[in-house]
Amino acid sequence: MEKPNLMRLLPRVGLTDLPSSAIWKRSDCLAGAVIAVAFGLAPAVLVLLTFDEVLTPIQLQARSLATPILLMEIAVIVYALLEGLKLPRIVALPSAALVMLLALAWVTVVNSPLASAGIIRTAIWTIHMLFGFSIVNLIRCGQLRREDFPPAIAFGFVVFNFLFVAFVVSVHRADYDWIDAMPAYSNIRWLGFYSTAVFGICAAVYTGNRHLYAAVAVLALGIAVWSGSRGTIYSILAGYTVAIALFPEMRSGWRRVAMIVAAGIAVGAALTAVLPMGMGAERLSDTSSSGRVEIWTATLPYIQLRPFFGWGEGQMLWMPQAKGVFVHPHNVILQVLLAWGMVGLAIIAGLSLWLARQLFPQISRDDLPFVLPVLMITAFSLIDGALFHVQSVATFVLLLSLLAAGKVSSRASISADGYPYRQLS
């Protein structure tokens, strides 16, 4: 029997609604398409690696460090080095600040109480940084296209949740630990970090008449609500509010965003009714801080002990107030102060302001699928570890690098083939 031609089937299932530059339509820039697909599917690979009720030590380590994401980042770094360096010219002040931050991170961690754990965490931060520079470099080399990533990430999210829901259905019982014994995440609430980023990407694309992305955005919010991640709703509302205040292009699509938010909450409530997990929609009515205020308060005395240079990365576990459970302060500002002190916070704030000043005047409609999730992840990091855990930090770095690369690269390599959704309605 003759096998069906996949390309002929695409129009029937609606996949042609994706951007015209979708990865499977590309004959050029093959390496970049592979990178986009690898990034999109890495979380699904993590589900497969940890698809067991009782995990081995190796599986636990893979889940804790999101090993497939880290390996993908390292592979991109190696490939970028093989392609050669074509980064933009060095700007003295921000470059010096970045070197100072790296030096501060490594010097503090080798003298920290939990040096071994801290060195691993600092090495991961270094990998994230090099990954970001590699993305920019590959775009400048013409080996990567920004527009390949939204469809790859959306597709990977669908695959991830197919596997995730399959696990829930296969082991569903009332006495199961739905919070800490799930594939891919040590705590099911972390699913909100992933869902928030996907929602931000898909919502921005959907407001430009790419309707298939609406379904993925609804799925993202529905899964997050089902998992009991309250921070997702907050981060979406906060991030989108900032986006419409800064970028008038987002304002005409607010009705569509409101519609998919309502639909996502409804999907989450329906999933909770069918397969209760993680307290689901019930947590939306919980107005407590879930212990965050107590964690923030307990962190302050340690920051005061080393206010200038901090304790080094990954040091919260040894602190008595952390009770051997909490690995970060659930607030990115306190997280930076605890790790790298006021000096580290000043350097990061300075670099952020410099980058924002470079990017803001140049932001266009085509940049919104990268801007919106960056704002949402940033908002999430003020109440949780969205800028601590490997997968969400890697996503944040990728999106920020794609946004920055679109501004430092030549128009011939980027702007000539932008997104096919120019008009908002």
Side-chain angles (χ1 to χ4, degrees), residues 73-248:
E73 289 184 285
I74 293 170
V76 170
I77 294 168
V78 172
Y79 178 70
L81 289 173
L82 294 175
E83 286 297 306
L85 295 178
K86 294 185 179 180
L87 291 170
R89 66 180 179 85
I90 295 177
V91 182
L93 190 58
S95 299
L98 192 58
V99 171
M100 289 173 58
L101 182 62
L102 276 173
L104 173 63
W106 281 103
V107 169
T108 53
V109 79
V110 296
N111 296 291
S112 61
L114 289 176
S116 58
I119 287 172
I120 293 174
R121 294 295 316 178
T122 305
I124 290 173
W125 273 110
T126 305
I127 290 171
H128 290 323
M129 184 197 72
L130 294 175
F131 172 65
F133 282 119
S134 298
I135 293 295
V136 174
N137 189 63
L138 288 172
I139 289 180
R140 290 186 63 83
C141 290
Q143 296 297 311
L144 204 62
R145 294 178 181 271
R146 299 195 309 163
E147 57 268 28
D148 285 341
F149 283 89
I153 292 173
F155 177 72
F157 184 77
V158 173
V159 175
F160 173 94
N161 282 288
F162 176 82
L163 297 171
F164 187 84
V165 173
F167 178 86
V168 174
V169 172
S170 66
V171 303
H172 189 267
R173 57 180 183 269
D175 63 340
Y176 193 75
D177 182 3
W178 296 111
I179 308 301
D180 303 312
M182 298 296 289
Y185 300 110
S186 301
N187 188 309
I188 192 60
R189 314 296 185 213
W190 300 353
L191 182 54
F193 307 157
Y194 186 18
S195 299
T196 295
V198 173
F199 181 94
I201 294 169
C202 293
V205 178
Y206 173 52
T207 55
N209 291 322
R210 311 306 298 177
H211 298 288
L212 189 59
Y213 285 96
V216 182
V218 170
L219 174 66
L221 183 52
I223 291 292
V225 171
W226 183 40
S227 73
S229 177
R230 293 180 300 163
T232 302
I233 300 293
Y234 152 78
S235 60
I236 287 173
L237 294 178
Y240 189 76
T241 299
V242 173
I244 62 175
L246 295 177
F247 309 110

Side-chain angles (χ1 to χ4, degrees), residues 355-370:
L355 185 60
R357 184 178 179 183
Q358 301 300 310
L359 297 180
F360 183 78
Q362 304 182 62
I363 297 297
S364 67
R365 196 166 296 159
D366 294 340
D367 299 314
L368 295 179
F370 311 113

Side-chain angles (χ1 to χ4, degrees), residues 148-413:
D148 285 341
F149 283 89
I153 292 173
F155 177 72
F157 184 77
V158 173
V159 175
F160 173 94
N161 282 288
F162 176 82
L163 297 171
F164 187 84
V165 173
F167 178 86
V168 174
V169 172
S170 66
V171 303
H172 189 267
R173 57 180 183 269
D175 63 340
Y176 193 75
D177 182 3
W178 296 111
I179 308 301
D180 303 312
M182 298 296 289
Y185 300 110
S186 301
N187 188 309
I188 192 60
R189 314 296 185 213
W190 300 353
L191 182 54
F193 307 157
Y194 186 18
S195 299
T196 295
V198 173
F199 181 94
I201 294 169
C202 293
V205 178
Y206 173 52
T207 55
N209 291 322
R210 311 306 298 177
H211 298 288
L212 189 59
Y213 285 96
V216 182
V218 170
L219 174 66
L221 183 52
I223 291 292
V225 171
W226 183 40
S227 73
S229 177
R230 293 180 300 163
T232 302
I233 300 293
Y234 152 78
S235 60
I236 287 173
L237 294 178
Y240 189 76
T241 299
V242 173
I244 62 175
L246 295 177
F247 309 110
E249 295 89 345
M250 291 298 301
R251 297 172 191 171
S252 59
W254 73 268
R255 290 181 179 85
R256 294 187 173 195
V257 174
M259 181 182 69
I260 58 179
V261 167
I265 293 174
V267 168
L271 286 171
T272 301
V274 176
L275 292 171
M277 182 191 71
M279 293 182 283
E282 297 177 12
R283 283 174 56 87
L284 293 180
S285 60
D286 182 2
T287 58
S288 70
S289 69
S290 296
R292 281 172 174 76
V293 174
E294 291 78 6
I295 296 173
W296 298 341
T297 303
T299 304
L300 292 176
Y302 291 96
I303 294 174
Q304 293 171 347
L305 288 174
R306 293 189 180 181
F308 297 107
F309 301 108
W311 293 86
E313 176 65 351
Q315 297 304 300
M316 192 167 182
L317 271 176
W318 71 268
M319 300 174 183
Q321 284 86 341
K323 301 177 182 179
V325 176
F326 300 110
V327 294
H328 59 83
H330 290 65
N331 176 280
V332 70
I333 297 175
L334 295 179
Q335 175 185 324
V336 172
L337 284 172
L338 185 67
W340 304 316
M342 290 188 292
V343 173
L345 182 63
I347 293 173
I348 292 174
L351 286 170
S352 300
L353 290 173
W354 175 83
L355 185 60
R357 184 178 179 183
Q358 301 300 310
L359 297 180
F360 183 78
Q362 304 182 62
I363 297 297
S364 67
R365 196 166 296 159
D366 294 340
D367 299 314
L368 295 179
F370 311 113
V371 172
L372 191 57
V374 163
L375 292 174
M376 290 177 176
I377 294 173
T378 302
F380 213 141
S381 71
L382 295 175
I383 61 168
D384 214 326
L387 289 178
F388 181 90
H389 296 290
V390 171
Q391 182 183 341
S392 51
V393 175
T395 302
F396 183 86
V397 170
L398 171 73
L399 295 169
L400 198 59
S401 300
L402 293 173
L403 181 62
K407 304 310 170 188
V408 300
S409 299
S410 65
R411 292 185 178 182
S413 61

